[in-house]
Amino acid sequence: MKLLKYILLCFICVFASCKTASNQTVTANSTPKNIILLIGDGTGLSQISSAFFFKETPPNYGRFKHIGLIKTSSSREDITDSAAGATAFASGIKSYNGAIGVTDDSTHVATLVEIAKANNIKSGVVSTSSITHATPASFYAHSINRGMYEEIAGYLAKSDVDFFAGGGIKWFNKRKDNIDLLAEFKNKSFLLDTVSLKDYASIKNAPKVGFLLGQDHMPPAAKGRGDYLPRATELGIRYLNDKGSPFFMMVEGSQVDWGGHANDADYLISELIDFDDAIGKALDFAKKDGNTLVIVTADHETGGFTLGPTTRKRTDGSEYQDYSEVSGIFSTNAHSATLIPVFAFGPGAEEFLGVYENTEIFHKILKVTGWK
Ligand code: MG
Ligand code: ZN
């Protein structure tokens, strides 16, 4: 009996050490080659939760095992805007609301697109707003004020972005300075399309690719944009990956924020579901690829949104709260300062656990990739 116990103990030890060895192999392979950062503008926990009640298929948010929380205040304000929020992600610094790629004292600071270029990493920027809007702009431009769209458009034309998609044609070709920046893209060997997303076969040999699909912002998903965001995400990933070098890609679901500002739950939820579809495209690629880290987060929450009971009326006219069905309820038409979830998948994902400042997203990306 004693011998049997001894043999059993030996088995357990061998099994346990095997398990440790295989876990160590996973930890050792924690340097991602590619980074896909998805930002749902204005997407707090209740916005995310809405996918679990209103999406007909299982939400892609549910596929993550590594989850953290960020503090989002800007350098001067408790409540951030999208410019300071995206500058924190793109450059790792706290700046003032309205700042695009500049420090609190308005000094230019390197962005992830610029850092990618310096490290021979391809880069892509995708949004459903104008490509010159605060969130995408913070990844390639430097402006003391987010409203300087023509200046920001000039930065995109000069930048080393390899793939971009969004709206904002007018900031490139109907400018006060009369410069035609669309022509500049063509001079820089861009395949530029201002009508619709192309299929992969027609862009794969282009040195660089840009889509500007709207005079200003793109329409809401439910009002004509359709599945542009997941398709642009998939197209951009495939295009950048097939170039043979590592890549960094930022994808923004810009209009979850606008549904929040409008206190329009249907708008917010349809944009959130569309963003979740884009997350799915990134995760499907990362799962197959094995060398890609997907990070999903938001700059801030918008609307003070929550999922409360549905208010209904009895036959006598009195109201009651019906717990059997949730409804979207707002507490403000502005941004809020609640902690924001961070979801990570792929090599290096464990780095994103915990509670930390939004600027850490940038520093953690540099830490896990080794980009300088
Ligand atoms: Mg935005
Ligand atoms: Zn906003």
Side-chain angles (χ1 to χ4, degrees):
M1 203 57 198
K2 246 186 180 171
L3 184 70
L4 190 67
K5 258 190 191 167
Y6 176 74
I7 291 168
L8 203 65
L9 195 69
C10 286
F11 262 111
I12 290 168
C13 288
V14 169
F15 180 71
S17 67
C18 281
K19 223 180 153 208
T20 313
S22 73
N23 280 351
Q24 274 166 358
T25 320
V26 173
T27 320
N29 180 26
S30 60
T31 304
K33 196 175 128 216
N34 311 308
I35 299 283
I36 307 172
L37 173 62
L38 295 109
I39 301 172
D41 198 316
T43 301
L45 191 53
S46 291
Q47 281 83 350
I48 295 163
S49 305
S50 71
F52 291 82
F53 289 94
F54 296 101
K55 194 173 184 184
E56 281 163 9
T57 51
N60 291 298
Y61 274 108
R63 295 167 65 181
F64 294 91
K65 299 214 163 30
H66 295 91
I67 299 154
L69 290 169
I70 48 170
K71 297 180 265 182
T72 64
S73 296
S74 58
S75 62
R76 301 181 196 175
E77 297 91 353
D78 281 349
I79 301 175
T80 189
D81 80 333
S82 295
T87 295
F89 298 149
S91 298
I93 54 132
K94 292 275 186 184
S95 196
Y96 57 91
N97 286 356
I100 303 285
V102 295
T103 60
D104 190 68
D105 63 3
S106 301
T107 309
H108 291 197
V109 60
T111 71
L112 275 173
V113 163
E114 292 163 350
I115 291 164
K117 176 65 183 175
N119 286 269
N120 290 316
I121 313 289
K122 299 280 177 196
S123 64
V125 176
V126 172
S127 71
T128 59
S129 63
S130 167
I131 200 74
T132 58
H133 208 238
T135 313
S138 298
F139 285 83
Y140 63 79
H142 307 278
S143 278
I144 56 165
N145 182 330
R146 59 182 285 173
M148 299 165 82
Y149 295 123
E150 293 189 359
E151 179 182 90
I152 291 166
Y155 274 104
L156 183 64
K158 278 189 295 192
S159 79
D160 289 302
V161 172
D162 297 284
F163 178 98
F164 69 84
I169 302 168
K170 68 175 183 180
W171 307 114
F172 296 86
N173 70 353
K174 294 190 183 93
R175 300 164 56 84
K176 287 189 200 87
D177 61 12
N178 288 320
I179 294 173
D180 182 4
L181 292 178
L182 299 186
E184 279 193 22
F185 281 120
K186 285 175 186 155
N187 291 340
K188 286 185 76 180
S189 315
F190 264 87
L191 185 159
L192 190 72
D193 197 309
T194 55
V195 180
S196 61
L197 281 182
K198 283 188 155 66
D199 60 11
Y200 178 68
S202 38
I203 67 162
K204 68 173 183 182
N205 293 322
K208 288 173 173 248
V209 176
F211 294 100
L212 288 172
L213 306 177
Q215 282 303 313
D216 193 2
H217 305 304
M218 298 194 66
K223 289 181 182 165
R225 198 179 76 236
D227 62 354
Y228 151 85
L229 186 63
R231 283 198 298 129
T233 302
E234 189 175 31
L235 187 67
I237 290 171
R238 190 167 174 197
Y239 173 78
L240 293 170
N241 187 53
D242 284 1
K243 291 287 167 194
S245 42
F247 68 85
F248 165 75
M249 182 146 139
M250 192 291 295
V251 175
E252 187 202 18
S254 317
Q255 300 191 25
V256 183
D257 177 63
W258 303 350
H261 284 296
N263 281 193
D264 181 338
D266 291 341
Y267 183 12
L268 184 159
I269 293 166
S270 60
E271 290 297 327
L272 188 281
I273 289 171
D274 176 62
F275 181 61
D276 186 75
D277 288 339
I279 294 171
K281 298 296 184 190
L283 286 177
D284 291 347
F285 172 79
K287 201 176 158 194
K288 254 190 281 168
D289 179 63
N291 290 308
T292 300
L293 173 63
V294 177
I295 306 155
V296 181
T297 189
D299 43 4
H300 53 75
E301 193 276 341
T302 306
F305 184 64
T306 194
L307 296 171
T310 304
T311 303
R312 297 193 197 282
K313 275 197 169 115
R314 296 187 185 88
T315 43
D316 68 1
S318 62
E319 284 187 348
Y320 70 101
Q321 303 296 329
D322 182 357
Y323 276 27
S324 67
E325 194 182 351
V326 293
S327 286
I329 298 165
F330 297 90
S331 62
T332 174
N333 60 11
H335 298 171
S336 78
T338 58
L339 297 184
I340 292 296
V342 181
F343 300 81
F345 176 94
E350 60 283 354
E351 187 67 36
F352 292 81
L353 299 171
V355 182
Y356 44 91
E357 293 289 346
N358 55 0
T359 47
E360 286 301 304
I361 298 287
F362 169 89
H363 297 292
K364 288 174 189 295
I365 288 172
L366 262 56
K367 184 180 171 191
V368 297
T369 56
W371 300 346
K372 300 271 178 270

